[in-house]
Amino acid sequence: MYGWIWRHLPGNALVRAVLALLLVLGAVYVLFQYVFPWAEPLLPFGDVTVDEGSGVG
């Protein structure tokens, strides 16, 4: 997949590297701005099974 993307980017190696970096940064931006906030309520990170009063004293 990465080879396919690299072969289809225009320009020489430097231009391709800059474009590939921009693609990665764009994907990270989309994930943090849209995908992760949408998926957060669906994930069980708020389900805690440890009680505060049950520790050994």
PDB file of all heavy atoms in Angstrom, residues 30-47:
ATOM      1  N   VAL A  30      -7.223  14.411  10.915  1.00  0.00           N
ATOM      2  CA  VAL A  30      -8.591  13.909  10.768  1.00  0.00           C
ATOM      3  C   VAL A  30      -8.934  12.937  11.891  1.00  0.00           C
ATOM      4  O   VAL A  30     -10.037  12.977  12.445  1.00  0.00           O
ATOM      5  CB  VAL A  30      -8.776  13.262   9.382  1.00  0.00           C
ATOM      6  CG1 VAL A  30     -10.081  12.474   9.307  1.00  0.00           C
ATOM      7  CG2 VAL A  30      -8.734  14.316   8.300  1.00  0.00           C
ATOM      8  N   LEU A  31      -7.991  12.079  12.257  1.00  0.00           N
ATOM      9  CA  LEU A  31      -8.246  11.143  13.342  1.00  0.00           C
ATOM     10  C   LEU A  31      -8.516  11.867  14.658  1.00  0.00           C
ATOM     11  O   LEU A  31      -9.476  11.548  15.366  1.00  0.00           O
ATOM     12  CB  LEU A  31      -7.061  10.181  13.507  1.00  0.00           C
ATOM     13  CG  LEU A  31      -6.959   9.077  12.475  1.00  0.00           C
ATOM     14  CD1 LEU A  31      -5.638   8.338  12.637  1.00  0.00           C
ATOM     15  CD2 LEU A  31      -8.123   8.124  12.575  1.00  0.00           C
ATOM     16  N   PHE A  32      -7.674  12.838  15.013  1.00  0.00           N
ATOM     17  CA  PHE A  32      -7.825  13.518  16.294  1.00  0.00           C
ATOM     18  C   PHE A  32      -9.012  14.476  16.331  1.00  0.00           C
ATOM     19  O   PHE A  32      -9.607  14.679  17.385  1.00  0.00           O
ATOM     20  CB  PHE A  32      -6.546  14.274  16.661  1.00  0.00           C
ATOM     21  CG  PHE A  32      -5.529  13.406  17.346  1.00  0.00           C
ATOM     22  CD1 PHE A  32      -4.482  12.867  16.626  1.00  0.00           C
ATOM     23  CD2 PHE A  32      -5.629  13.120  18.685  1.00  0.00           C
ATOM     24  CE1 PHE A  32      -3.551  12.059  17.247  1.00  0.00           C
ATOM     25  CE2 PHE A  32      -4.704  12.312  19.312  1.00  0.00           C
ATOM     26  CZ  PHE A  32      -3.657  11.780  18.592  1.00  0.00           C
ATOM     27  N   GLN A  33      -9.370  15.068  15.205  1.00  0.00           N
ATOM     28  CA  GLN A  33     -10.449  16.049  15.201  1.00  0.00           C
ATOM     29  C   GLN A  33     -11.820  15.419  15.021  1.00  0.00           C
ATOM     30  O   GLN A  33     -12.806  15.957  15.519  1.00  0.00           O
ATOM     31  CB  GLN A  33     -10.217  17.083  14.092  1.00  0.00           C
ATOM     32  CG  GLN A  33      -9.046  17.977  14.363  1.00  0.00           C
ATOM     33  CD  GLN A  33      -9.231  18.819  15.606  1.00  0.00           C
ATOM     34  OE1 GLN A  33     -10.287  19.383  15.849  1.00  0.00           O
ATOM     35  NE2 GLN A  33      -8.195  18.885  16.422  1.00  0.00           N
ATOM     36  N   TYR A  34     -11.921  14.320  14.285  1.00  0.00           N
ATOM     37  CA  TYR A  34     -13.222  13.783  13.935  1.00  0.00           C
ATOM     38  C   TYR A  34     -13.449  12.349  14.390  1.00  0.00           C
ATOM     39  O   TYR A  34     -14.493  12.038  14.965  1.00  0.00           O
ATOM     40  CB  TYR A  34     -13.429  13.870  12.417  1.00  0.00           C
ATOM     41  CG  TYR A  34     -13.344  15.287  11.912  1.00  0.00           C
ATOM     42  CD1 TYR A  34     -12.222  15.740  11.223  1.00  0.00           C
ATOM     43  CD2 TYR A  34     -14.354  16.201  12.152  1.00  0.00           C
ATOM     44  CE1 TYR A  34     -12.132  17.046  10.766  1.00  0.00           C
ATOM     45  CE2 TYR A  34     -14.273  17.514  11.704  1.00  0.00           C
ATOM     46  CZ  TYR A  34     -13.165  17.921  11.016  1.00  0.00           C
ATOM     47  OH  TYR A  34     -13.079  19.205  10.584  1.00  0.00           O
ATOM     48  N   VAL A  35     -12.506  11.455  14.134  1.00  0.00           N
ATOM     49  CA  VAL A  35     -12.730  10.036  14.390  1.00  0.00           C
ATOM     50  C   VAL A  35     -12.663   9.713  15.879  1.00  0.00           C
ATOM     51  O   VAL A  35     -13.572   9.062  16.418  1.00  0.00           O
ATOM     52  CB  VAL A  35     -11.728   9.177  13.595  1.00  0.00           C
ATOM     53  CG1 VAL A  35     -11.896   7.708  13.920  1.00  0.00           C
ATOM     54  CG2 VAL A  35     -11.895   9.427  12.098  1.00  0.00           C
ATOM     55  N   PHE A  36     -11.613  10.148  16.572  1.00  0.00           N
ATOM     56  CA  PHE A  36     -11.482   9.829  17.985  1.00  0.00           C
ATOM     57  C   PHE A  36     -12.591  10.444  18.838  1.00  0.00           C
ATOM     58  O   PHE A  36     -13.138   9.753  19.710  1.00  0.00           O
ATOM     59  CB  PHE A  36     -10.111  10.221  18.517  1.00  0.00           C
ATOM     60  CG  PHE A  36      -8.973   9.415  17.922  1.00  0.00           C
ATOM     61  CD1 PHE A  36      -7.708   9.950  17.879  1.00  0.00           C
ATOM     62  CD2 PHE A  36      -9.170   8.150  17.422  1.00  0.00           C
ATOM     63  CE1 PHE A  36      -6.654   9.219  17.338  1.00  0.00           C
ATOM     64  CE2 PHE A  36      -8.128   7.418  16.878  1.00  0.00           C
ATOM     65  CZ  PHE A  36      -6.864   7.955  16.836  1.00  0.00           C
ATOM     66  N   PRO A  37     -12.976  11.718  18.646  1.00  0.00           N
ATOM     67  CA  PRO A  37     -14.098  12.243  19.428  1.00  0.00           C
ATOM     68  C   PRO A  37     -15.413  11.511  19.147  1.00  0.00           C
ATOM     69  O   PRO A  37     -16.228  11.331  20.049  1.00  0.00           O
ATOM     70  CB  PRO A  37     -14.199  13.708  18.995  1.00  0.00           C
ATOM     71  CG  PRO A  37     -12.830  14.054  18.558  1.00  0.00           C
ATOM     72  CD  PRO A  37     -12.303  12.800  17.913  1.00  0.00           C
ATOM     73  N   TRP A  38     -15.610  11.064  17.915  1.00  0.00           N
ATOM     74  CA  TRP A  38     -16.819  10.317  17.587  1.00  0.00           C
ATOM     75  C   TRP A  38     -16.810   8.948  18.279  1.00  0.00           C
ATOM     76  O   TRP A  38     -17.831   8.479  18.767  1.00  0.00           O
ATOM     77  CB  TRP A  38     -16.924  10.125  16.073  1.00  0.00           C
ATOM     78  CG  TRP A  38     -17.973   9.144  15.683  1.00  0.00           C
ATOM     79  CD1 TRP A  38     -19.308   9.377  15.595  1.00  0.00           C
ATOM     80  CD2 TRP A  38     -17.774   7.772  15.374  1.00  0.00           C
ATOM     81  NE1 TRP A  38     -19.947   8.217  15.227  1.00  0.00           N
ATOM     82  CE2 TRP A  38     -19.027   7.219  15.091  1.00  0.00           C
ATOM     83  CE3 TRP A  38     -16.647   6.957  15.302  1.00  0.00           C
ATOM     84  CZ2 TRP A  38     -19.186   5.882  14.737  1.00  0.00           C
ATOM     85  CZ3 TRP A  38     -16.810   5.630  14.957  1.00  0.00           C
ATOM     86  CH2 TRP A  38     -18.068   5.114  14.677  1.00  0.00           C
ATOM     87  N   ALA A  39     -15.645   8.294  18.336  1.00  0.00           N
ATOM     88  CA  ALA A  39     -15.548   6.945  18.872  1.00  0.00           C
ATOM     89  C   ALA A  39     -15.436   6.910  20.391  1.00  0.00           C
ATOM     90  O   ALA A  39     -15.663   5.857  20.995  1.00  0.00           O
ATOM     91  CB  ALA A  39     -14.346   6.227  18.266  1.00  0.00           C
ATOM     92  N   GLU A  40     -15.092   8.008  21.037  1.00  0.00           N
ATOM     93  CA  GLU A  40     -14.866   8.005  22.486  1.00  0.00           C
ATOM     94  C   GLU A  40     -16.070   7.513  23.280  1.00  0.00           C
ATOM     95  O   GLU A  40     -15.898   6.685  24.188  1.00  0.00           O
ATOM     96  CB  GLU A  40     -14.451   9.388  22.955  1.00  0.00           C
ATOM     97  CG  GLU A  40     -14.167   9.426  24.452  1.00  0.00           C
ATOM     98  CD  GLU A  40     -13.903  10.829  24.954  1.00  0.00           C
ATOM     99  OE1 GLU A  40     -14.132  11.795  24.200  1.00  0.00           O
ATOM    100  OE2 GLU A  40     -13.478  10.936  26.106  1.00  0.00           O
ATOM    101  N   PRO A  41     -17.293   7.956  23.020  1.00  0.00           N
ATOM    102  CA  PRO A  41     -18.415   7.436  23.815  1.00  0.00           C
ATOM    103  C   PRO A  41     -18.670   5.950  23.610  1.00  0.00           C
ATOM    104  O   PRO A  41     -19.303   5.310  24.441  1.00  0.00           O
ATOM    105  CB  PRO A  41     -19.619   8.242  23.316  1.00  0.00           C
ATOM    106  CG  PRO A  41     -19.077   9.390  22.581  1.00  0.00           C
ATOM    107  CD  PRO A  41     -17.714   9.016  22.117  1.00  0.00           C
ATOM    108  N   LEU A  42     -18.182   5.381  22.541  1.00  0.00           N
ATOM    109  CA  LEU A  42     -18.396   3.962  22.260  1.00  0.00           C
ATOM    110  C   LEU A  42     -17.379   3.064  22.956  1.00  0.00           C
ATOM    111  O   LEU A  42     -17.571   1.852  23.027  1.00  0.00           O
ATOM    112  CB  LEU A  42     -18.321   3.727  20.745  1.00  0.00           C
ATOM    113  CG  LEU A  42     -19.267   4.580  19.896  1.00  0.00           C
ATOM    114  CD1 LEU A  42     -18.983   4.361  18.425  1.00  0.00           C
ATOM    115  CD2 LEU A  42     -20.716   4.276  20.219  1.00  0.00           C
ATOM    116  N   LEU A  43     -16.291   3.642  23.473  1.00  0.00           N
ATOM    117  CA  LEU A  43     -15.225   2.853  24.098  1.00  0.00           C
ATOM    118  C   LEU A  43     -15.446   2.738  25.600  1.00  0.00           C
ATOM    119  O   LEU A  43     -15.948   3.664  26.238  1.00  0.00           O
ATOM    120  CB  LEU A  43     -13.869   3.496  23.806  1.00  0.00           C
ATOM    121  CG  LEU A  43     -13.510   3.585  22.326  1.00  0.00           C
ATOM    122  CD1 LEU A  43     -12.228   4.364  22.134  1.00  0.00           C
ATOM    123  CD2 LEU A  43     -13.393   2.208  21.720  1.00  0.00           C
ATOM    124  N   PRO A  44     -15.043   1.618  26.203  1.00  0.00           N
ATOM    125  CA  PRO A  44     -15.327   1.371  27.622  1.00  0.00           C
ATOM    126  C   PRO A  44     -14.284   1.923  28.586  1.00  0.00           C
ATOM    127  O   PRO A  44     -14.010   1.322  29.621  1.00  0.00           O
ATOM    128  CB  PRO A  44     -15.358  -0.157  27.690  1.00  0.00           C
ATOM    129  CG  PRO A  44     -14.349  -0.572  26.670  1.00  0.00           C
ATOM    130  CD  PRO A  44     -14.501   0.428  25.550  1.00  0.00           C
ATOM    131  N   PHE A  45     -13.673   3.093  28.298  1.00  0.00           N
ATOM    132  CA  PHE A  45     -12.629   3.611  29.176  1.00  0.00           C
ATOM    133  C   PHE A  45     -13.190   4.145  30.482  1.00  0.00           C
ATOM    134  O   PHE A  45     -12.471   4.275  31.461  1.00  0.00           O
ATOM    135  CB  PHE A  45     -11.831   4.707  28.477  1.00  0.00           C
ATOM    136  CG  PHE A  45     -11.025   4.199  27.314  1.00  0.00           C
ATOM    137  CD1 PHE A  45     -11.013   4.903  26.127  1.00  0.00           C
ATOM    138  CD2 PHE A  45     -10.304   3.032  27.399  1.00  0.00           C
ATOM    139  CE1 PHE A  45     -10.277   4.449  25.048  1.00  0.00           C
ATOM    140  CE2 PHE A  45      -9.569   2.567  26.335  1.00  0.00           C
ATOM    141  CZ  PHE A  45      -9.559   3.278  25.147  1.00  0.00           C
ATOM    142  N   GLY A  46     -14.473   4.479  30.550  1.00  0.00           N
ATOM    143  CA  GLY A  46     -15.072   4.997  31.773  1.00  0.00           C
ATOM    144  C   GLY A  46     -15.581   3.904  32.696  1.00  0.00           C
ATOM    145  O   GLY A  46     -15.998   4.178  33.816  1.00  0.00           O
ATOM    146  N   ASP A  47     -15.560   2.660  32.258  1.00  0.00           N
ATOM    147  CA  ASP A  47     -16.043   1.549  33.077  1.00  0.00           C
ATOM    148  C   ASP A  47     -14.924   1.069  33.996  1.00  0.00           C
ATOM    149  O   ASP A  47     -14.098   0.254  33.622  1.00  0.00           O
ATOM    150  CB  ASP A  47     -16.521   0.397  32.195  1.00  0.00           C
ATOM    151  CG  ASP A  47     -17.679   0.794  31.310  1.00  0.00           C
ATOM    152  OD1 ASP A  47     -18.363   1.773  31.649  1.00  0.00           O
ATOM    153  OD2 ASP A  47     -17.898   0.127  30.286  1.00  0.00           O
TER     154      ASP A  47
END
